[in-house]
């Protein structure tokens, strides 16, 4: 692996070819917020909260650090008024779904996001896709997936697989930043009557 | 839907995972909707997870997971029709059929969908019923046109 | 017919086809594009066959069902050769006299000719009609001359000569140079130079490369690509094969919407014919160049028009775009270098190879060369497909070619570029149409939709309409598009429904900026454009909606009221009988009054009130006048009793 010299927040750093900007930043202790990123999973680039500014050949633009590959002489800025504004609006949009989510509340405090800016939405899910991707990429089970598109997009368990696999796994549960996953699971489990919903609930 | 027919369609595409959408389109056009049993068969035969097939079947507009009515109404909501009053036509169709876009009535008479452009903008606003175009409509004419369908 | 192995064999075949054709042959061509089918061209075609048989002319007259002629407003269109007589809005009933008079006796049927609305002069030839006369039909010219299912018709016009020249006489580098010199820019959206894209793919070390035709034409109100694919599929195939030769691809795909069944059918036939003749397949025209093409049908998702989403869909998955930090001409379909251009871009390639880059760039402006096909629709007299040189002004396109605004109304705006584009107002009518000119004005070229709007079109509603479209078509992966654009739609709906508040415009601008800068793909990044351009040019309409709860165009349902002017009502009962809500009170000789409580604002009364009375009024931002007292409603001998 060849080394790549670049700058993050004015500091010279050495990154390895093939890394993303987010990974490079974390190796040198620079924290960039993320919601849909997971070290074990393929980069996804959906929540856009890890947006940073990239300067190259005198030109600057906003890029998403979890998918943007490192390159020679790249200069990255991880905080600026523009970046913070984008992150704040993203958080406000997500808080309309999951106002009580712990990770969102911590970030909201940091970026001054107002959880009441947009009207409340009925679904908790913020579509980070952690459950879907973990189940597919790590477990190879594909028990949970997306359905529909646009604002109608939702996560959805395959009932047969819930019965066969999920009860003994549930590894995706702690990954969920909101309580949407459990809600979807309980909903599916309730449809498949022979599956116990929760321990102790088998009578 | 007959499982042999499903297999035949899958075999026609060499069971390649990349042909998944083409296979689903063929089943949709053959059967007019995608029964769960067809999705399961495809999953098994083409070695594609069911959850992925479900996403595809709900992502693309051509697919339906529920049976369609005897008559399929497509209302053009393209920009040309929109500026010529397509919204009023949609309202008239909704009033007449009692269903909203994406729905089928309980008697399985009509299914209603909006489409983005039927490509006959000279006739706008237009609706298409079972492939037949009704053009240059007003709301009263729309209701009249729909009365002809049994 | 065996495969052709050289330019000489191609030329020989062409001469054979031509020598079998008599220049005095009577030919009836009938426009059979999808739009004409909708106006009844199938019935006309059947009637022609039948009538020729009845009059004993079946073996003397050739009937050619061509693709779209473009003048959809007046379809179905018949042109009779060799004279070139053009009949418009032909119905099956007209056929017997067309055969007995025009075909047999060479008499022109005046009542089927085009009448110039200004001079009232009757025009016999298609090319003399102002709609056609002011166009420059380089790509579309062949559409009216060929049966799309006949490769002979295409070959007769010199088809596949460009492929033969490229493959047999030019190196890939030379072809690339010609395309670069012509400065052919992508006709599908952003106008990226095709040569630069091709060069990137050509220069990669990867062995496997692909070329793709993007025929997922999804812009509402645009159908240019369909007409090319339906009407002249070989021109697209020929361009694609030349591109494949240039970049070193051996496989190509045509991604076409399943909503275009006739295009799918014609392109399938064309591929088979081209394979039989040796224009596709192994050792094309005797060279060592191999190239095959497959058709993939799109299942209905606007986002698949975006190049990376299209490629994901081709791989058999949901059409979610990928981040474009590495361009798809380097890493595209199955991670291989892939050149994707739209239908019209590919169709331009044979023209450039046949006539040279200098010829091509003699049309157009400094930075936009050649012609562009527009789908000219909306509140325009001559709805249809028009091909004009780049650089023609919007005014000339709309008024000279398009014949101006329907019903003598006032022009308000023209929307270009589809949902990613914007609305341009009257003071920009003299803008020369080109990629950069449109972008600078806050819109874009896009694929060529041109929707004309008049005084009755509400610009806030137009913005709301496009955001509604995009909310439905968003793939839903990234937050700025799935959540942000949806929130923009909700705010715009609040405004058109009369719930607009101070701060709404700022919120829309904020969300628009987020989508533009942070969304994953072009769909999300350009989603704010319809809002931003209408706000830029029609801010007063937004303010009227928000501050006065008034819709100046009298369109937004929640902001208007219907009212019958008692001075004008003649108690004809047209509205009373048609009102679906029974909201009209009145009767014979009794002036009608709308019950505002019951009125659903469906517009029916407004539509049916005879124009000589024009008694039904729409009002906005003002109170409805009180109903005329019951005792004053009786009409005596046409005048009102006081």
């Amino acid at each position: 692996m060849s080394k790549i010299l670049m700058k993050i927040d004015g500091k010279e750093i050495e990154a390895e070819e093939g890394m993303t900007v987010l990974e490079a930043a974390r190796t040198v202790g620079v924290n960039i917020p993320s919601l849909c990123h997971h070290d074990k999973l393929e980069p996804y680039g959906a929540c856009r909260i890890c947006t940073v500014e990239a300067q190259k050949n005198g030109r600057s633009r906003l890029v998403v650090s979890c998918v943007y590959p490192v390159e020679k002489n790249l200069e990255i800025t991880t905080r600026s008024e523009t970046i913070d504004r984008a992150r704040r609006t993203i958080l406000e949009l997500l808080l309309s779904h999951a106002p009580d989510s712990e990770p969102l509340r911590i970030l909201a405090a940091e970026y001054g996001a107002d959880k009441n800016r947009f009207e409340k939405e009925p679904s908790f899910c913020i579509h980070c896709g952690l459950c879907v991707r973990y189940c597919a990429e790590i477990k190879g089970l594909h028990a949970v997936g997306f359905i529909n598109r646009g604002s109608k997009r939702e996560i959805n368990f395959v009932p047969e697989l819930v019965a066969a696999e999920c009860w003994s796994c549930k590894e995706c549960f702690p990954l969920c930043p909101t309580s949407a996953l459990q809600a979807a699971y309980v909903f599916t489990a309730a449809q498949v009557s022979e599956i116990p919903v929760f321990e102790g609930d088998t009578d | 839907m007959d499982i042999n027919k499903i297999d035949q369609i899958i075999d026609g595409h060499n069971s390649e995972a990349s042909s998944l959408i083409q296979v689903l389109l063929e089943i949709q056009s053959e059967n007019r909707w995608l029964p769960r049993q067809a999705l399961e068969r495809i999953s098994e035969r083409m070695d594609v997870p069911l959850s992925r097939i479900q996403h595809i079947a709900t992502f693309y507009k051509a697919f339906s997971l529920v049976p369609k009515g005897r008559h399929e109404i497509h209302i053009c909501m393209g920009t040309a029709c929109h500026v010529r009053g397509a919204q009023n036509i949609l309202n008239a169709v909704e009033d007449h059929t009692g269903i909203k876009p994406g729905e089928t009535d309980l008697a399985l008479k009509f299914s209603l969908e909006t489409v983005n452009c039927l490509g006959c903008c000279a006739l706008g606003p237009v609706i298409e019923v079972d492939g037949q175009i009704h053009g240059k409509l007003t709301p009263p004419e729309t209701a009249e046109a729909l009365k002809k369908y049994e | 017919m065996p495969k052709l192995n050289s330019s000489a064999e191609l030329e020989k075949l062409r001469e054979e086809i031509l020598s079998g054709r008599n220049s005095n042959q009577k030919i009836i061509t009938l426009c059979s594009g999808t739009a004409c089918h909708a106006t009844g061209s199938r019935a006309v075609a059947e009637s022609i066959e039948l009538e020729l048989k009845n009059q004993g002319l079946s073996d003397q007259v050739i009937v050619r069902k061509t693709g779209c002629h473009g003048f959809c407003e007046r379809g179905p269109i018949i042109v009779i050769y060799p004279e070139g007589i053009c009949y418009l809005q032909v119905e099956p009933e007209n056929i017997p006299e067309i055969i007995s008079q025009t075909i047999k006796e060479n008499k022109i049927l005046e009542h089927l000719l085009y009448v110039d609305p200004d001079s009232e002069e009757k025009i016999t030839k298609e090319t003399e009609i102002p709609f056609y006369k002011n166009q420059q039909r380089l790509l579309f010219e062949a559409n009216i001359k060929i049966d799309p299912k006949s490769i002979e018709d295409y070959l007769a016009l010199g088809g596949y000569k460009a492929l033969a020249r490229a493959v047999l006489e030019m190196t890939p580098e030379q072809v690339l140079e010609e395309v670069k010199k012509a400065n052919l820019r992508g006709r599908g959206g952003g106008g990226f130079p095709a040569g630069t894209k091709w060069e990137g793919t050509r220069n990669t070390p990867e062995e496997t490369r692909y070329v793709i035709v993007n025929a997922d034409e999804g812009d509402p109100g645009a159908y240019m690509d369909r007409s090319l694919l339906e009407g002249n599929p070989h021109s697209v195939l020929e361009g694609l094969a030349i591109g494949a030769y240039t970049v070193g691809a051996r496989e190509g795909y045509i991604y076409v919407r399943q909503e275009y069944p006739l295009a799918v059918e014609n392109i399938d036939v064309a591929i088979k014919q081209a394979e039989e003749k040796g224009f596709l397949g192994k050792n094309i025209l005797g060279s060592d160049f191999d190239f095959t093409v497959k058709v993939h049908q799109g299942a209905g998702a606007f986002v698949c028009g975006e190049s990376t989403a299209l490629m994901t869909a081709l791989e058999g998955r949901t059409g979610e775009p990928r981040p474009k930090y590495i361009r798809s001409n380097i890493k595209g379909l199955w991670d291989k270098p892939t050149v994707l251009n739209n239908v019209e871009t590919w169709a331009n390639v044979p023209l450039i190879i046949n006539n040279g880059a200098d010829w091509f760039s003699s049309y157009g402006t400094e930075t936009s060369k050649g012609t562009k096909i527009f789908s000219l629709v909306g509140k325009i007299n001559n709805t249809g497909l028009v091909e004009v040189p780049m650089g023609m002004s919007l005014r000339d396109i709309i008024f000279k070619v398009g014949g101006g605004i329907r019903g003598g109304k006032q022009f308000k705006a023209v929307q270009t570029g589809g949902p990613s584009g914007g609305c341009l107002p009257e003071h920009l009518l003299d803008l020369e149409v080109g990629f950069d000119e449109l972008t600078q004005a806050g819109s874009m070229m896009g694929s060529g939709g041109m929707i004309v709007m008049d005084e009755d079109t509400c610009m806030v509603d137009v913005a709301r309409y496009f955001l509604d479209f995009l909310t439905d078509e968003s793939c839903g992966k990234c937050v700025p598009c799935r959540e942000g654009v949806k929130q923009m739609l909700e705010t715009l709906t609040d405004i058109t429904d009369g719930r607009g508040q101070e701060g709404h415009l700022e919120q829309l601008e904020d969300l628009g900026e987020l989508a533009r800068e942070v969304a994953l793909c072009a769909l999300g990044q350009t989603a704010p454009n319809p809002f931003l351009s209408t706000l830029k040019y029609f801010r007063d309409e937004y303010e009227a909606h928000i501050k006065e709860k008034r819709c100046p165009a009298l369109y937004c349902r929640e902001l208007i009221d219907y009212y019958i002017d008692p001075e004008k009502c003649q108690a004809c009962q047209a509205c009373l009988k048609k009102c679906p809500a029974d909201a009209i009170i009145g009767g014979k000789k009794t002036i009608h009054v709308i019950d505002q409580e019951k009125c659903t604002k469906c517009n029916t009364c407004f539509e049916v009130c005879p124009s000589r009375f024009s008694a039904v009024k729409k009002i906005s931002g003002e109170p409805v006048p009180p109903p005329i007292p019951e005792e004053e409603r009786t009409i005596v001998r046409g005048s009102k009793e006081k």
Side-chain angles (χ1 to χ4, degrees):
Chain A
M1 277 285 167
S2 59
K3 296 279 178 194
I4 283 176
L5 278 179
M6 56 179 280
K7 273 186 187 170
I8 295 183
D9 290 338
K11 208 171 81 182
E12 285 271 354
I13 70 139
E14 215 174 66
E16 276 172 27
E17 200 183 322
M19 267 185 170
T20 63
V21 167
L22 183 76
E23 286 165 342
R26 288 190 178 170
T27 55
V28 294
V30 174
N31 181 44
I32 299 173
S34 69
L35 289 166
C36 68
H37 179 79
H38 188 289
D39 286 340
K40 287 184 185 165
L41 302 176
E42 286 291 312
Y44 191 54
C47 74
R48 319 303 275 180
I49 198 106
C50 67
T51 292
V52 296
E53 266 178 67
Q55 287 98 353
K56 196 172 64 173
N57 309 327
R59 287 205 308 202
S60 171
R61 62 170 174 154
L62 292 180
V63 302
V64 171
S65 63
C66 71
V67 287
Y68 198 86
V70 293
E71 52 187 318
K72 219 173 85 183
N73 298 331
L74 191 66
E75 287 183 38
I76 297 291
T77 308
T78 65
R79 286 295 287 263
S80 72
E81 209 189 307
T82 316
I83 296 168
D84 285 10
R85 191 167 59 234
R87 288 181 187 162
R88 184 163 58 241
T89 311
I90 288 171
L91 287 166
E92 286 167 339
L93 287 165
L94 294 179
L95 283 162
S96 71
H97 284 275
D100 301 324
S101 152
E102 191 62 19
L104 290 184
R105 283 168 61 169
I106 293 168
L107 287 171
E110 188 174 349
Y111 291 93
D114 171 9
K115 70 174 179 178
N116 296 317
R117 182 169 178 202
F118 301 109
E119 215 163 290
K120 292 285 164 289
E121 298 284 345
S123 156
F124 299 144
C125 182
I126 62 163
H127 299 79
C128 64
L130 288 172
C131 53
V132 173
R133 289 146 59 216
Y134 187 88
C135 189
E137 291 174 30
I138 305 295
K139 305 293 289 185
L141 292 173
H142 305 275
V144 60
F146 285 113
I147 52 164
N148 290 326
R149 69 181 186 207
S151 54
K152 297 196 184 83
R153 187 169 154 127
E154 285 175 65
I155 49 167
N156 177 60
F157 281 90
V158 178
E160 293 86 337
L161 290 171
V162 167
E165 310 283 356
C166 296
W167 176 241
S168 57
C169 173
K170 289 186 185 168
E171 284 171 34
C172 58
F173 277 34
L175 301 176
C176 181
T178 75
S179 41
L181 183 65
Q182 280 92 333
Y185 177 80
V186 170
F187 181 67
T188 314
Q191 287 180 307
V192 190
S193 55
E194 64 269 29
I195 319 165
V197 176
F198 285 113
E199 263 168 297
D201 194 14
T202 51
D203 48 341
Chain B
M1 192 182 180
D2 179 23
I3 203 137
N4 293 323
K5 183 71 209 170
I6 297 170
D7 281 351
Q8 216 181 324
I9 291 171
I10 295 170
D11 292 340
H13 291 272
N14 303 323
S15 312
E16 282 170 30
S18 62
S19 304
L20 178 58
I21 294 167
Q22 306 305 296
V23 168
L24 289 170
L25 276 174
E26 238 178 273
I27 294 175
Q28 172 75 38
S29 99
E30 192 79 25
N31 195 54
R32 297 179 67 231
W33 66 291
L34 302 174
R36 171 116 188 144
Q37 147 228 20
L39 303 187
E40 283 168 6
R41 186 67 180 172
I42 295 168
S43 168
E44 192 187 311
R45 288 279 323 275
M46 299 180 80
D47 198 23
V48 180
L50 190 59
S51 54
R52 213 177 101 192
I53 299 176
Q54 279 181 339
H55 193 196
I56 289 172
T58 52
F59 185 92
Y60 294 101
K61 251 189 152 169
F63 303 125
S64 172
L65 293 176
V66 289
K68 291 272 183 180
R70 291 191 298 284
H71 305 292
E72 287 188 52
I73 308 173
H74 293 150
I75 301 190
C76 184
M77 299 303 278
T79 322
C81 285
H82 179 76
V83 300
R84 291 190 186 182
Q87 186 61 47
N88 287 331
I89 303 299
L90 175 61
N91 295 339
V93 173
E94 286 180 358
D95 285 348
H96 183 84
T97 60
I99 50 173
K100 298 219 168 287
E103 294 178 352
T104 298
D105 61 44
L106 288 174
L108 290 182
K109 182 174 175 188
F110 287 119
S111 291
L112 175 58
E113 292 289 345
T114 56
V115 294
N116 294 331
C117 186
L118 289 168
C120 37
C121 308
L123 295 176
V126 296
I127 67 169
E128 184 191 61
V129 187
D130 301 338
Q132 200 204 334
I133 300 273
H134 301 262
K136 297 192 174 167
L137 289 171
T138 61
E141 285 165 6
T142 310
E144 280 303 314
L146 291 178
K147 279 182 192 155
K148 292 189 198 113
Y149 293 89
E150 280 306 313
Chain C
M1 172 66 69
K3 289 190 180 188
L4 303 174
N5 279 309
S6 65
S7 290
E9 284 182 28
L10 173 63
E11 190 50 34
K12 191 164 153 264
L13 175 62
R14 190 170 99 90
E15 279 164 13
E16 275 170 26
I17 294 168
L18 288 176
S19 69
R21 293 186 172 186
N22 173 358
S23 59
N24 291 320
Q25 170 73 48
K26 283 274 185 211
I27 303 172
I28 302 177
T29 66
L30 170 67
C31 178
S32 300
T34 301
C36 274
H37 275 172
T39 51
S41 77
R42 274 203 188 95
V44 173
E46 282 166 18
S47 179
I48 293 174
E49 302 285 349
L50 184 76
E51 208 45 44
L52 284 173
K53 210 171 133 202
N54 287 348
Q55 302 197 26
L57 291 169
S58 293
D59 49 359
Q60 292 170 45
V61 179
I62 293 175
V63 180
R64 188 173 287 152
K65 288 180 215 155
T66 68
C68 178
H69 290 212
F71 200 8
C72 308
E73 187 70 42
R74 300 298 183 92
I77 301 170
I78 275 184
V79 183
I80 294 161
Y81 294 100
E83 295 82 2
I85 301 162
C86 173
Y87 292 147
L88 302 168
Q89 286 172 310
V90 176
E91 294 187 16
E93 300 86 270
N94 305 129
I95 300 302
E97 55 171 345
I98 291 179
I99 308 285
S100 64
Q101 299 291 308
T102 310
I103 297 290
K104 277 190 172 165
E105 311 281 336
N106 274 331
K107 280 187 192 150
I108 289 168
L109 300 170
E110 300 246 330
H111 62 280
L112 293 174
L113 295 177
Y114 179 82
V115 183
D116 189 301
D118 298 327
S119 64
E120 294 186 9
E121 195 185 329
K122 291 196 165 127
I123 298 176
T124 312
K125 291 203 162 139
E126 194 170 34
T127 46
E128 299 292 313
I129 297 172
F131 175 79
Y132 289 105
K133 205 165 72 184
N134 294 302
Q135 295 189 42
Q136 185 76 55
R137 292 163 73 96
L138 304 181
L139 291 160
F140 254 155
E141 197 192 359
N143 254 39
I144 60 174
K145 295 182 180 161
I146 61 179
D147 172 351
K149 291 199 172 68
S150 160
I151 193 171
E152 285 76 20
D153 283 359
Y154 185 64
L155 291 170
L157 296 178
Y160 287 107
K161 252 189 188 171
L163 177 66
R165 176 176 294 170
V167 172
L168 303 172
E169 295 165 27
M170 296 169 83
T171 63
E173 290 80 6
Q174 285 171 322
V175 181
L176 182 64
E177 265 325 296
E178 207 63 28
V179 173
K180 280 172 72 179
K181 206 173 138 203
N183 194 12
L184 173 64
R185 296 174 66 174
R187 262 56 174 164
F192 192 80
T196 311
K197 194 188 268 187
W198 294 17
E199 191 169 37
T201 298
R202 180 162 172 77
N203 291 341
T204 58
E206 282 278 357
E207 277 288 306
T208 310
R209 301 157 192 187
Y210 299 103
V211 284
I212 301 176
V213 180
N214 183 349
D216 192 45
E217 183 174 57
D219 287 3
Y223 55 104
M224 310 72 48
D225 291 347
R226 183 186 68 189
S227 291
L228 275 177
L229 262 193
E230 272 180 12
N232 193 358
H234 284 291
S235 69
V236 182
L237 281 182
E238 187 178 3
L240 183 68
I242 295 170
Y245 171 73
T246 312
V247 305
R250 295 159 63 95
E251 280 177 68
Y253 290 90
I254 297 175
Y255 187 96
V256 54
R257 303 172 68 189
Q258 58 94 32
E259 292 98 320
Y260 286 179
L262 187 59
V264 175
E265 187 184 318
N266 288 359
I267 197 78
D268 276 340
V269 170
I271 289 172
K272 272 201 198 81
Q273 292 172 336
E275 282 170 349
E276 282 164 15
K277 294 270 189 292
F279 301 127
L280 292 175
K282 274 203 145 327
N283 300 108
I284 288 169
L285 286 159
S287 71
D288 55 5
F289 167 53
D290 305 336
F291 178 59
T292 54
V293 179
K294 280 191 196 140
V295 174
H296 183 106
Q297 292 190 49
F302 173 74
V303 67
C304 289
E306 199 274 344
S307 59
T308 61
L310 185 149
M311 291 175 201
T312 319
L314 259 182
E315 293 167 6
R317 294 185 280 142
T318 42
E320 283 173 12
R322 299 190 280 235
K324 249 188 180 170
Y325 298 133
I326 302 171
R327 286 189 178 278
S328 52
N329 65 335
I330 306 297
K331 195 176 167 189
L333 185 63
W334 288 296
D335 287 342
K336 302 294 182 196
T338 306
V339 169
L340 177 133
N341 282 124
N342 96 323
V343 172
E344 191 180 338
T345 314
W346 288 118
N348 267 297
V349 173
L351 293 180
I352 292 170
I353 300 304
N354 275 329
N355 303 295
D358 292 336
W359 168 86
F360 183 78
S361 53
S362 69
Y363 297 96
T365 67
E366 196 51 38
T367 54
S368 304
K369 300 298 186 189
T371 60
K372 179 77 196 77
I373 305 175
F374 291 101
S375 154
L376 188 59
V377 300
K379 305 281 187 75
I380 185 103
N381 274 319
N382 300 337
T383 297
L385 297 177
V386 305
E387 182 179 354
V388 296
M390 296 273 193
M392 191 185 249
S393 71
L394 287 168
R395 190 186 299 282
D396 283 351
I397 297 175
I398 293 166
F399 290 90
K400 276 194 183 159
V401 180
I405 311 304
R406 291 173 91 81
K409 298 258 180 174
Q410 268 292 311
F411 171 89
K412 188 191 262 185
V414 56
Q415 205 278 347
T416 72
S420 303
C423 294
L424 304 173
E426 193 174 8
H427 78 261
L428 290 175
L429 271 177
D430 290 313
L431 188 80
E432 291 185 349
V433 171
F435 291 102
D436 309 311
E437 291 81 355
L438 285 170
T439 305
Q440 275 156 23
S443 184
M444 66 187 278
M445 178 75 85
S447 63
M450 200 174 261
I451 294 102
V452 177
M453 299 166 180
D454 68 7
E455 57 197 272
D456 297 335
T457 312
C458 168
M459 303 315 288
V460 184
D461 173 72
V462 166
R464 190 205 56 78
Y465 163 81
F466 279 112
L467 283 152
D468 185 34
F469 174 89
L470 290 163
T471 304
D472 187 39
E473 294 291 348
S474 160
C475 81
K477 182 171 174 179
C478 80
V479 176
C481 184
R482 185 188 66 245
E483 303 296 338
V485 172
K486 187 193 70 173
Q487 193 58 54
M488 287 181 79
L489 169 65
E490 282 173 14
T491 307
L492 282 166
T493 308
D494 280 345
I495 296 174
T496 55
D497 282 359
R499 297 185 299 271
Q501 292 167 17
E502 204 160 312
H504 269 167
L505 293 179
E506 291 70 23
Q507 187 195 84
L508 284 164
E509 284 174 312
D510 191 24
L511 289 166
E513 188 186 304
L514 178 75
R516 196 177 62 218
E517 296 196 346
V518 187
L520 171 60
C521 78
L523 184 149
Q525 288 158 11
T526 58
N529 288 356
F531 162 70
L532 293 171
S533 70
T534 47
L535 183 67
K536 183 173 172 187
Y537 297 120
F538 301 95
R539 186 179 268 272
D540 55 331
E541 290 199 29
Y542 280 91
E543 284 173 353
H545 281 74
I546 295 172
K547 290 182 186 154
E548 303 165 40
K549 308 290 178 245
R550 178 173 67 87
C551 174
L554 300 172
Y555 178 84
C556 293
R557 205 166 166 165
E558 300 301 324
L559 297 182
I560 56 170
D561 290 296
Y562 289 82
Y563 157 73
I564 297 172
D565 184 345
E567 296 294 321
K568 293 191 169 167
C569 179
Q570 299 297 321
C572 74
Q573 302 189 71
C575 60
L576 191 145
K577 285 180 184 153
K578 289 283 181 188
C579 176
D582 289 328
I584 297 174
I585 307 157
K588 212 173 166 186
K589 291 189 185 167
T590 308
I591 292 174
H592 306 343
V593 171
I594 296 175
D595 180 344
Q596 299 294 334
E597 296 291 306
K598 282 189 180 170
C599 176
T600 59
K601 300 175 186 175
C602 70
N603 207 48
T604 300
C605 53
F606 190 80
E607 304 254 1
V608 298
C609 181
S611 56
R612 61 185 190 278
F613 305 152
S614 294
V616 179
K617 304 282 175 208
K618 285 195 260 188
I619 50 175
S620 181
E622 53 180 301
V624 182
I628 170 171
E630 264 182 62
E631 58 277 16
E632 290 172 27
R633 292 184 193 171
T634 312
I635 302 178
V636 177
R637 279 185 237 103
S639 68
K640 278 145 216 138
E641 197 176 73
K642 289 275 165 177

